[in-house]
Amino acid sequence: MRTQVAIVGAGPSGLLLGQLLARAGVDNVVLERHTAEHVVGRIRAGVLEQGAVATLEEANVVGRLHRQGLVHHGIEIAFRGERHRIDFEALVGKSVVVYGQTEVTHDLMDARRAAGAKTVYEAEDVTLAGFDGTAPVVRYRHGGSTHEIACDFIAGCDGFHGVSRQSVPASALTTHERVYPFGWLGVLVDRPPVSHELIYVNHERGFALCSMRSPTRSRYYVQVPLEEKVDAWDDERFWGELRARLDPGANERLATGPSIEKSIAPLRSFVAEPMRFGRLLLAGDAAHIVPPTGAKGLNLAVSDVRYLAHALSDWFRRGDASGLDSYSARCLKRVWFAERFSWWMTMLLHRFPGSDSFAMRMQQADLTLLFGSRASQQSLAENYVGLPFDD
Ligand SMILES: Cc1cc2nc3c(=O)[nH]c(=O)nc-3n(C[C@H](O)[C@H](O)[C@H](O)COP(=O)(O)OP(=O)(O)OC[C@H]3O[C@@H](n4cnc5c(N)ncnc54)[C@H](O)[C@@H]3O)c2cc1C
């Protein structure tokens, strides 16, 4: 088989890249290790920046998003039993949209199916070769036999544990990492959310977040130690712990019920540099991870893909390599801003085991400054709604 771009991974990065390229007339094939049902069933991100929405508009997959997405003009931060609102609209004149990653993936899969573009699910043992020259090849096993795709470029959109980054010689890659000593235990429940906006909670028992996916489906998280097992948390224990961290007003409105999903996500910051190796280009979680506190993971994946789709279509249309040449540097500039913001939000809102009194006072001073200073709030709002694209 031959195609112009072989895309490894059918998460949001791979599917969105496939859709943008297809619309630009660039032929592509997507290879995915899991089934479509598995991919679409993963409960992950939920907050979209305006720039991410604009990119999904460019991909023509926003019909449902515009009908069902919830526009949020701010967030609340709770500390010592009091909630403080960060008003994005008043501070920076922008908002975000709450629309689950599951739904984004669903819309992209539907569009790919309608366009008749090729996706191979359950592609096993994917290997990448030849990307340091001009004739890259991707091999995989499917249905018991081995297949090969010859292509002009390989897009590594296969997430943090994927094969693409691992195919690059270690000497060509610089990595930066921070692993946090806790995770988020998340519960999805078919009950209306506590509030129409997200509530981030800094509590002495640990961080909590009240989020949602729709007016009738809520997503709640509590900070737990890294070694915690999800089986140790029945619904009753989860709701009890969440209640202990919420202010009285939120507690009064909290509607609990049987969880429909429960999982623990570890928190990590990670960046691999550069993001291009000859004819292999990495995008999304394959190149970088942020802790979810700043709601940036999915948004960064979308911004990488936006730059990559434009760069590849310029190359195929006009032989213009400038977008490919600047791809890594342009992405990484945005990535590092999002890494800084996600790290800062994580430091601001979590309880760190073994924190000394100085560290605690620094966190308190940061929060007090934020609640009392418009300039501090503006900085948070500017980063939360998303920095502008560099195009
Ligand atoms: C539990 C969890 C919660 C999260 N919560 C948030 C949040 O609240 N807010 C936020 O902004 N972000 C969140 N994120 C991050 C966000 O979900 C990711 O940034 C986003 O999924 C990145 O998309 P991606 O397509 O780059 O990678 P992925 O979604 O990881 O997709 C990669 C795809 O590649 C496939 N793949 C992997 N290896 C191979 C292989 N060898 N061959 C073929 N296919 C392969 C995988 O099966 C997967 O489908 C969360 C992530 C996790 C894990």
Side-chain angles (χ1 to χ4, degrees):
M1 192 185 341
R2 192 183 152 75
T3 188
Q4 288 174 301
V5 182
I7 301 172
V8 187
S13 301
L15 290 172
L16 179 59
L17 180 64
Q19 175 71 1
L20 289 170
L21 289 178
R23 287 179 66 76
V26 178
D27 188 56
N28 63 86
V29 174
V30 173
L31 294 178
E32 165 59 47
R33 179 163 61 180
H34 290 293
T35 61
E37 295 68 39
H38 175 91
V39 172
V40 89
R42 291 184 301 217
I43 308 298
R44 290 184 168 183
V47 176
L48 296 175
E49 298 170 358
Q50 279 180 10
V53 173
T55 310
L56 293 165
E57 273 164 2
E58 190 183 326
N60 200 23
V61 287
V62 285
R64 231 159 47 93
L65 189 158
H66 284 321
R67 284 195 305 278
Q68 297 176 11
L70 308 171
V71 178
H72 282 198
H73 301 292
I75 56 169
E76 288 186 294
I77 297 181
F79 181 56
R80 293 182 170 158
E82 253 183 71
R83 272 191 258 158
H84 306 260
R85 184 159 188 266
I86 310 292
D87 185 337
F88 300 153
E89 206 61 55
L91 291 159
V92 292
K94 286 187 182 168
S95 51
V96 291
V97 176
V98 171
Y99 188 68
Q101 179 168 331
T102 320
E103 308 308 323
V104 173
T105 308
H106 214 291
D107 297 343
L108 286 164
M109 281 180 176
D110 285 352
R112 192 160 180 87
R113 218 171 288 125
K118 189 168 173 61
T119 312
V120 181
Y121 287 101
E122 298 181 89
E124 296 166 39
D125 303 330
V126 171
T127 56
L128 283 51
F131 53 82
D132 49 350
T134 54
V137 174
V138 180
R139 296 188 182 89
Y140 62 98
R141 288 181 56 73
H142 187 251
S145 50
T146 303
H147 304 261
E148 185 174 295
I149 305 178
C151 56
D152 297 299
F153 291 93
I154 303 171
C157 299
D158 47 353
F160 182 66
H161 299 287
V163 67
S164 298
R165 192 181 69 252
Q166 289 164 24
S167 305
V168 175
S171 60
L173 207 63
T174 304
T175 60
H176 312 268
E177 187 168 31
R178 175 118 330 161
V179 177
Y180 301 88
F182 40 72
W184 282 15
L185 169 64
V187 155
L188 193 67
V189 60
D190 274 331
R191 291 287 184 274
V194 136
S195 165
H196 64 285
E197 290 179 342
L198 273 67
I199 307 175
Y200 288 81
V201 183
N202 178 321
H203 190 273
E204 60 198 27
R205 295 178 70 92
F207 170 81
L209 173 62
C210 304
S211 180
M212 71 288 289
R213 292 294 179 268
S214 76
T216 55
R217 179 168 286 188
S218 304
R219 181 74 166 157
Y220 295 104
Y221 297 96
V222 293
Q223 173 187 346
V224 292
L226 203 50
E227 58 281 2
E228 201 67 57
K229 297 278 176 278
V230 75
D231 295 346
W233 287 82
D234 59 16
D235 288 355
E236 200 183 333
R237 183 175 175 205
F238 178 86
W239 295 122
E241 188 56 46
L242 180 64
R243 281 196 182 285
R245 299 182 191 190
L246 296 184
D247 62 89
N251 248 313
E252 214 167 279
R253 290 182 54 90
L254 177 67
T256 62
S259 61
I260 52 174
E261 196 266 356
K262 196 187 285 156
S263 52
I264 296 180
L267 269 68
R268 181 195 301 270
S269 300
F270 174 87
V271 181
E273 301 180 302
M275 289 171 60
R276 178 188 178 185
F277 310 89
R279 292 197 172 213
L280 167 63
L281 300 113
L282 302 180
D285 279 17
H288 41 74
I289 297 281
V290 285
T293 331
K296 288 284 163 263
L298 176 57
N299 290 297
L300 272 186
V302 171
S303 66
D304 289 354
V305 165
R306 176 191 179 96
Y307 291 152
L308 184 52
H310 293 172
L312 286 167
S313 61
D314 285 351
W315 195 88
F316 283 109
R317 245 190 246 161
R318 306 193 297 267
D320 176 358
S322 60
L324 290 171
D325 292 342
S326 61
Y327 171 71
S328 179
R330 283 169 85 207
C331 288
L332 285 167
K333 185 174 166 197
R334 223 166 176 278
V335 166
W336 278 114
F337 285 139
E339 290 285 347
R340 185 208 68 81
F341 178 64
S342 305
W343 165 84
W344 176 75
M345 286 281 280
T346 303
M347 300 301 289
L348 184 73
L349 295 171
H350 291 78
R351 290 295 155 133
F352 283 73
S355 257
D356 61 11
S357 64
F358 185 82
M360 299 285 286
R361 290 291 193 173
M362 287 298 99
Q363 196 186 57
Q364 286 165 22
D366 227 352
L367 282 163
T368 311
L369 182 69
L370 177 67
F371 300 146
S373 152
R374 185 179 166 88
S376 290
Q377 290 181 18
Q378 218 159 11
S379 171
L380 190 157
E382 184 185 36
N383 283 277
Y384 197 98
V385 301
L387 298 174
F389 293 124
D390 170 22
D391 59 13

